[in-house]
Amino acid sequence: MDARSLWLILAIVAVSKSTGVAPRLKLNDGKEIPALGLGTWLGFTKEGTRVPVQGDEVENAVQWAIDAGYRHIDTAAIYNTELQVGRAVNKKIAEGVIKREDVFITTKLWNTRHAKEDVVPALKESLQKLNLTYVDLYLIHWPISESEDQKFLDIDYVDTWRGMEEARAQGLTRSIGVSNFNQAQLERLISLTNSKPASLQIEINLNLQQPDLLAYCKRQGILVTGYTPFGSLFSDKTTEEVPPPRADDTSLVAIAQKYNKTVAQIALRYEVELGVIPIPKSIHKKRIEQNINVFDFELTQEERDVLKAFDKNYRVIAATHWKGSPHYPFEKN
Ligand SMILES: NC(=O)c1ccc[n+]([C@@H]2O[C@H](COP(=O)([O-])OP(=O)(O)OC[C@H]3O[C@@H](n4cnc5c(N)ncnc54)[C@H](OP(=O)(O)O)[C@@H]3O)[C@@H](O)[C@H]2O)c1
Ligand SMILES: *[C@@H]1O[C@H](CO)[C@@H](O)[C@H](O)[C@H]1NC(C)=O
Ligand SMILES: *[C@@H]1O[C@H](CO)[C@@H](O)[C@H](O)[C@H]1NC(C)=O
């Protein structure tokens, strides 16, 4: 081997160590989705309002993510981050780092746009903010329908789905799916429409592993995207009453040390091994790089059993203010 080829190989090894590559999984409509993505919701403040976007923080996060190897970005109309996601993606396309078809963009229809004829206009507004001609996946964000002044409306999500199908037929999105639907709602949607969501996006983390819903989706060929993958791991983001584990849990730390990984990476890897597509959010470069670096090791069955035992059916996102809706998807007690 000459010096130049050796240098090239070393360079490739160095790059592949500092960036991550998530394998692509096949959706039931034949399209492909990368097995991990970047979340771009900034969360709630202590007062329960949405954290406002500051400066270019999301645009920077998405650029760092693409440089680190992410090819899947999750946003939503309600997050108010579509503009910055779009700027970052278009910048990386202009720089030649990616082509549009290399990156999988998900956005979501908000509760106030559930009328069938509202879906296409709502997606067009998102596309304008994203500065894209299509998204890869459009999701009904919640089965719940509300008016602008936050009164529950009696719009059936099956009607909303007809609007989603129209959006796909117009080429505005490649795939369509739903978020925060329970199994009964999925069954009803599938039986009444004779079509299947490409993906279900739900909360999945150590405290909320939802084995029955995952098994149902597997039988139906619906890939599950897992939101809030860190659950209540980080003490600064949770309160004492919330069930453990935290990131300093001794059994988690032991597993992390064995693989020279962080506890955050162990939580993400576990989800990947459950067949779930995690979409961790961070606006910090080092964490963004760390979070996709989970495809070079595998947990043992014994370790998976330890992680499984943390399941308590405890939700971070219980959306209890929507309990009054006829389509509230979660347990009401
Ligand atoms: N469909 C839905 O209804 C729904 C609901 C909730 C979320 N989502 C989607 O899912 C995404 C992820 O969920 P999420 O944002 O609720 O929670 P998450 O990704 O589980 O946690 C995000 C928090 O963890 C911190 N963090 C990230 N990586 C870390 C690391 N390696 N070490 C330590 N701390 C780390 C982040 O802080 P920094 O940013 O400061 O690093 C942030 O505060 C959202 O952004 C959104 O795209 C969807
Ligand atoms: C929108 O995208 C196009 C094509 O990628 C790009 O030339 C243009 O600068 C973008 N506009 C904005 C406002 O980002
Ligand atoms: C452990 O991981 C860190 C961060 O990825 C890396 O810099 C270091 O070289 C690794 N150590 C070993 C022994 O692999």
Side-chain angles (χ1 to χ4, degrees):
M1 186 184 318
D2 61 23
R4 197 172 162 274
S5 346
L6 183 65
W7 181 87
L8 196 67
I9 288 169
L10 289 176
I12 289 167
V13 169
V15 166
S16 61
K17 274 215 177 333
S18 66
T19 61
V21 175
R24 301 176 82 88
L25 307 173
K26 197 134 201 150
L27 296 165
N28 59 24
D29 59 8
K31 307 283 191 292
E32 287 185 346
I33 183 171
L36 184 143
L38 178 77
T40 67
W41 178 49
L42 299 177
F44 287 129
T45 62
K46 289 223 157 47
E47 293 72 44
T49 57
R50 288 189 184 81
V51 173
V53 184
Q54 291 184 45
D56 297 333
E57 59 186 1
V58 173
E59 183 176 347
N60 291 332
V62 173
Q63 291 196 67
W64 290 327
I66 291 171
D67 288 339
Y70 287 68
R71 294 295 180 266
H72 173 179
I73 314 290
D74 182 83
T75 184
I78 196 68
Y79 300 165
N80 208 21
T81 56
E82 289 173 319
L83 262 175
Q84 294 205 11
V85 168
R87 269 190 238 141
V89 168
N90 279 297
K91 226 185 236 179
K92 288 293 157 191
I93 292 173
E95 285 174 12
V97 178
I98 47 167
K99 297 195 204 64
R100 172 64 188 91
E101 59 269 30
D102 297 333
V103 60
F104 190 100
I105 308 288
T106 300
T107 194
K108 313 187 192 87
L109 176 79
W110 190 237
N111 304 354
T112 52
R113 311 301 294 276
H114 275 210
K116 184 183 163 225
E117 60 280 5
D118 253 5
V119 177
V120 163
L123 178 50
K124 283 184 174 166
E125 286 166 31
S126 285
L127 287 171
Q128 191 161 14
K129 289 187 177 141
L130 287 162
N131 188 18
L132 297 174
T133 56
Y134 69 91
V135 291
D136 295 275
L137 179 60
Y138 198 41
L139 300 175
I140 302 181
H141 204 147
W142 289 86
I144 290 160
S145 168
E146 296 176 285
S147 64
E148 290 292 345
D149 57 352
Q150 298 182 339
K151 299 214 168 59
F152 296 127
L153 295 178
D154 195 15
I155 300 177
D156 189 341
Y157 51 79
V158 172
D159 289 335
T160 312
W161 186 255
R162 303 288 184 206
M164 301 289 284
E165 290 179 320
E166 176 60 26
R168 185 182 52 192
Q170 291 189 22
L172 304 171
T173 181
R174 294 277 155 97
S175 298
I176 52 178
V178 298
S179 178
N180 297 303
F181 277 44
N182 62 33
Q183 184 173 326
Q185 291 169 329
L186 285 170
E187 282 169 352
R188 182 169 173 269
L189 181 70
I190 293 167
S191 70
L192 294 180
T193 64
N194 211 13
S195 82
K196 270 182 199 173
S199 183
L200 169 70
Q201 184 174 126
I202 48 174
E203 179 178 339
I204 298 280
N205 49 56
L206 291 175
N207 279 343
L208 185 72
Q209 299 185 25
Q210 312 216 54
D212 296 341
L213 192 48
L214 293 193
Y216 170 75
C217 286
K218 195 170 180 186
R219 289 197 300 277
Q220 292 291 333
I222 298 170
L223 280 187
V224 172
T225 307
Y227 73 67
T228 315
F230 299 129
S232 307
L233 271 186
F234 304 118
S235 354
D236 58 328
K237 308 266 161 47
T238 191
T239 54
E240 259 175 55
E241 317 84 76
V242 171
R246 302 289 176 265
D248 62 358
D249 180 278
T250 49
S251 61
L252 290 179
V253 170
I255 298 172
Q257 279 173 349
K258 175 180 162 192
Y259 296 103
N260 188 31
K261 295 285 177 183
T262 64
V263 167
Q265 288 171 314
I266 298 301
L268 294 172
R269 178 69 207 180
Y270 178 57
E271 250 181 65
V272 166
E273 291 183 19
L274 289 177
V276 173
I277 302 165
I279 45 170
K281 169 263 175 183
S282 177
I283 52 169
H284 292 101
K285 189 168 188 280
K286 284 274 169 286
R287 288 176 177 171
I288 290 169
E289 290 168 352
Q290 181 192 124
N291 292 343
I292 198 172
N293 190 6
V294 298
F295 294 98
D296 59 352
F297 73 110
E298 199 177 332
L299 300 166
T300 64
Q301 186 56 48
E302 207 176 20
E303 289 159 350
R304 283 192 289 269
D305 290 343
V306 169
L307 296 166
K308 186 172 168 44
F310 287 117
D311 188 13
K312 290 171 205 76
N313 208 24
Y314 173 83
R315 281 178 201 284
V316 174
I317 310 285
T320 49
H321 53 294
W322 287 331
K323 272 186 187 172
S325 160
H327 301 300
Y328 181 72
F330 308 142
E331 311 77 10
K332 290 205 181 180
N333 49 352

